[in-house]
Amino acid sequence: MSVPDSPKILILGGTAEAAAIAEISFLRWGEGVLVITSLAGRTIAPSAIAGELRVGGFGGAAGMVNYLRKEEISAVVDATHPFATRISENARLACEATEVPLLVFDRPAWQRKDGDQWHMMESASRAAEALPEYGQRIFLTTGRGEISAFTSCTNIWFLVRLVDMPLEPLPLENAHVIAARGPFTVEAELALMERHKIDVLVCKASGGEMTRAKLVAARELGCPVLMISRPELSEGDRVSSVDAAVTRLSEILT
Ligand code: NAP
């Protein structure tokens, strides 16, 4: 419930940071601002989110233009995952067309430390090609969208971690699937990787704290990491912390 004519903000979510921005905004403004979080609808049971929730695609940039106009949105926060490039581009185009201010959340990248054996890969397919050089027992945490890139990997065993158990078998010859969502602890990641005798970690350069523990575990185990490089961030007014996002929103709304 919101006060009539109160400003509306649309948070494009699907990340822990989007949920945190929604929560802090909701606590800060209460009914004075309507906070709407949008999810693609990929996760079966998303975590609770403060404010209103809408689920499902908008129908491309044109669909988002219609939505922004119909709902009279005052500002958009693109707090989607750094690899979710289509929705970010649609948000950029839709905000440009409607002149709705767009705030882009720039999730801090992971920083390499002594002992890390990171090998940056330009794509999941490139990581799949390179895999045999590095090991045979792979912890694959790239998410569902990239798994098909590894279909041609033979003589390789995968431990695949997804948010939800897949409804169909994965297109991998030799894989064990587990479903879990972060945050993960270093102790748990170490135990998991040791139990499954993992010799290579494959992940995206997602950044942020939720899934960083696996990199610490890989370092401690002396395990190489094939890391898929981040795409370019969408253009816009950038913030790189949840607090900075809410502060900037406050400036935009006043
Ligand atoms: P994507 O390729 O950028 O988007 C594909 C389509 O899904 C978009 O064109 C849009 O459909 C719809 N969509 C995506 N995010 C949406 C949102 N927040 N609200 C409403 N519709 C959305 O995205 P993706 O990589 O498939 O990721 C989907 C969602 O999962 C994102 O919200 C992202 O934050 C989250 N996520 C992604 C990853 C990842 O590695 N890619 C990891 C963790 C979480 P329409 O064109 O019909 O509007």
Side-chain angles (χ1 to χ4, degrees):
M1 186 73 102
S2 65
V3 177
D5 298 327
S6 51
K8 293 180 187 175
I9 58 174
L10 175 68
I11 302 172
L12 300 171
T15 59
E17 293 89 345
I21 294 168
E23 170 142 25
I24 296 177
S25 302
F26 190 71
L27 290 173
R28 179 157 178 172
W29 291 303
E31 292 177 8
V33 174
L34 180 60
V35 179
I36 306 168
T37 297
S38 174
L39 300 180
R42 305 272 197 274
T43 306
I44 292 169
S47 311
I49 290 176
E52 282 197 8
L53 186 64
R54 70 161 298 287
V55 181
F58 294 92
M64 200 186 293
V65 164
N66 292 339
Y67 178 89
L68 298 180
R69 289 198 173 126
K70 182 163 165 279
E71 296 298 329
E72 298 180 354
I73 299 294
S74 314
V76 175
V77 184
D78 175 7
T80 56
H81 190 271
F83 282 73
T85 50
R86 270 190 290 164
I87 186 74
S88 294
E89 177 61 4
N90 291 347
R92 189 186 68 75
L93 293 170
C95 287
E96 203 173 272
T98 53
E99 297 185 0
V100 171
L102 171 67
L103 209 53
V104 178
F105 187 81
D106 184 4
R107 182 191 278 180
W110 290 321
Q111 300 303 321
R112 198 187 286 261
K113 295 218 169 109
D114 283 352
D116 281 330
Q117 299 176 49
W118 294 1
H119 304 274
M120 301 311 291
M121 300 282 139
E122 69 197 19
S123 66
S125 324
R126 182 64 204 106
E129 276 167 28
L131 262 188
E133 291 170 42
Y134 294 96
Q136 269 91 42
R137 296 187 63 84
I138 316 301
F139 185 20
L140 185 61
T141 65
T142 53
R144 212 170 29 168
E146 280 70 21
I147 288 174
S148 58
F150 297 88
T151 305
S152 58
C153 295
T154 48
N155 299 324
I156 284 190
W157 181 85
F158 290 95
L159 172 66
V160 181
R161 182 164 66 198
L162 299 171
V163 173
D164 294 310
M165 273 320 247
L167 300 175
E168 305 283 330
L170 297 182
L172 297 175
E173 203 172 80
N174 223 343
H176 175 65
V177 188
I178 53 173
R181 66 179 73 188
F184 302 101
T185 64
V186 174
E187 293 70 28
E189 298 291 55
L190 271 171
L192 183 71
M193 290 170 72
E194 281 182 320
R195 187 160 68 247
H196 291 285
K197 301 187 170 46
I198 295 300
D199 54 15
V200 184
L201 167 65
V202 179
C203 66
K204 287 173 168 166
S206 301
E209 285 309 305
M210 289 282 278
T211 58
R212 201 173 65 86
K214 64 189 172 207
L215 298 172
V216 181
R219 185 192 313 138
E220 289 189 16
L221 294 171
C223 186
V225 179
L226 303 196
M227 194 181 290
I228 303 166
S229 303
R230 247 191 219 206
E232 285 288 310
L233 187 68
S234 182
E235 282 168 31
D237 187 358
R238 293 182 185 179
V239 282
S240 53
S241 74
V242 168
D243 287 342
V246 180
T247 303
R248 187 75 193 100
L249 270 175
S250 171
E251 289 163 6
I252 290 170
L253 295 178
T254 50

